[in-house]
Amino acid sequence: MHFLNVGHAYENVARYTRAVVGDQPDSAGLASSYREAVSQHRPIAAPLLGFAVHYEDSEWGNYLREADVFDGIFKGLRPSTAEERNEWPGCVAEAVEYVRDLNPDLGRLVDLLVTDIIFLPSDSTGGGSAAHLPGLVALSPGVHWSVHDFAESLVHEATHLNLFVGDMVHGLYTKPVNELAADGYRVLSAVKFGQFRPLDRAFHSAVVAVPLMWMQHQRGETELVDKYTGSLRECCQGLNSKRALFTPYGQLLVFQLAAFAFTLNWDYVEESISGDKYSIYAVAG
């Protein structure tokens, strides 16, 4: 699956940064070039290295609140406590190390794509990201979150960010995203059971379910597999029925997604993350 492959992500990021900043970055300079590029697409610049941590009363917090960026995700926003600010950065650092240990290439994907993490404590636990704010991940941790919860949220949002970059470079849809919310283009969601969602959101939700199911499988848990397998397959059937709305690149990703959904082949996921065969996508012309 190209949407999980670290080599494909590196290639897409290189194409993206070349288009934005004009230089062809080498492997050593890719992370800094990416940060230079995303800084031109956001109101607040990215850090030169690693990721920066922010809170709801920061410059990022003020911008997100004024622009209503995550209003549909985080309900009941509240101020973070001193204890939370002392604890959460360490939880994130531990989660990143966990991902790197679980699969080094999955860790590289998170390291490359995530530049900023903002904590937005609310009644709704989970994460958020936005196509027009590349590199930024928002988190609302639950009271009893473990390192696995932080890790899964980071991978979840990094996969969104990766798909956003792939869309910018190759294009996923044959219509503008703002048209894909029309009733005729909606697809049954993979994670919001029984809900028909805009095509792009349904596709994203199905894609990001794959690495989370794999992560839980790696530690012998079946919660997400049991919960999402049926709805993921229904979503894939819906996406396939709308394949004319996907570009050739988008159709490839839908096909790969369905290949996993209907087999639950865990070796396929692991091969997708690191395998050379998923690192290259021929660009027409």
Side-chain angles (χ1 to χ4, degrees):
M1 291 170 275
H2 281 73
F3 54 77
L4 285 180
N5 187 267
V6 66
H8 188 57
Y10 276 42
E11 175 66 21
N12 283 349
V13 167
R15 290 179 181 274
Y16 163 65
T17 59
R18 182 175 61 191
V20 175
V21 303
D23 296 326
Q24 177 64 50
D26 57 23
S27 57
L30 185 60
S32 59
S33 295
Y34 170 69
R35 282 154 172 72
E36 181 182 355
V38 302
S39 295
Q40 296 189 33
H41 284 156
R42 314 181 330 181
I44 302 167
L48 297 179
L49 295 171
F51 58 83
V53 173
H54 314 271
Y55 297 92
E56 76 288 340
D57 57 353
S58 65
E59 185 180 5
W60 263 122
N62 293 334
Y63 169 79
L64 296 173
R65 186 168 53 254
E66 292 169 2
D68 298 330
V69 175
F70 294 125
D71 272 12
I73 300 177
F74 302 114
K75 302 293 186 181
L77 283 172
R78 62 167 178 79
S80 53
T81 66
E83 182 180 7
E84 289 168 338
R85 293 188 183 211
N86 183 59
E87 178 183 350
W88 284 342
C91 293
V92 167
E94 187 178 355
V96 171
E97 286 301 319
Y98 169 78
V99 175
R100 292 171 183 154
D101 290 342
L102 182 66
N103 185 295
D105 284 332
L106 194 59
R108 291 184 183 100
L109 204 66
V110 173
D111 289 336
L112 174 65
L113 294 166
V114 178
T115 67
D116 297 82
I117 297 173
I118 180 167
F119 290 106
L120 299 174
S122 71
D123 296 335
S124 306
T125 61
S129 51
H132 66 291
L133 299 174
L136 178 71
V137 167
L139 294 179
S140 175
V143 175
H144 301 295
W145 267 24
S146 68
V147 63
H148 299 144
D149 296 303
F150 279 94
E152 288 171 8
S153 290
L154 286 174
V155 169
H156 177 125
E157 300 307 333
T159 306
H160 276 305
L161 296 176
N162 196 29
L163 203 55
F164 291 145
V165 174
D167 191 11
M168 286 189 285
V169 172
H170 301 294
L172 285 172
Y173 316 105
T174 59
K175 291 183 177 293
V177 169
N178 60 2
E179 295 183 16
L180 298 178
D183 287 344
Y185 303 148
R186 288 178 174 257
V187 172
L188 201 62
S189 174
V191 296
K192 295 190 175 182
F193 303 122
Q195 292 188 26
F196 283 84
R197 303 190 72 195
L199 184 75
D200 60 310
R201 295 187 181 185
F203 180 51
H204 264 264
S205 70
V207 164
V208 300
V210 176
L212 304 191
M213 293 167 72
W214 177 81
M215 290 173 74
Q216 288 203 356
H217 173 78
Q218 291 302 102
R219 61 176 187 269
E221 295 183 11
T222 66
E223 177 189 359
L224 291 184
V225 178
D226 297 340
K227 187 175 182 180
Y228 291 138
T229 296
S231 59
L232 179 60
R233 290 171 178 173
E234 289 180 328
C235 182
C236 286
Q237 290 172 331
L239 294 171
N240 186 59
S241 73
K242 310 292 185 186
R243 60 186 176 274
L245 295 170
F246 287 93
T247 65
Y249 179 70
Q251 290 180 18
L252 171 65
L253 301 192
V254 170
F255 173 81
Q256 293 173 338
L257 172 66
F260 166 74
F262 286 94
T263 62
L264 297 184
N265 185 337
W266 305 111
D267 291 338
Y268 180 34
V269 179
E270 194 153 357
E271 182 186 10
S272 295
I273 295 171
S274 303
D276 290 342
K277 68 181 291 186
Y278 300 107
S279 67
I280 299 171
Y281 177 75
V283 180

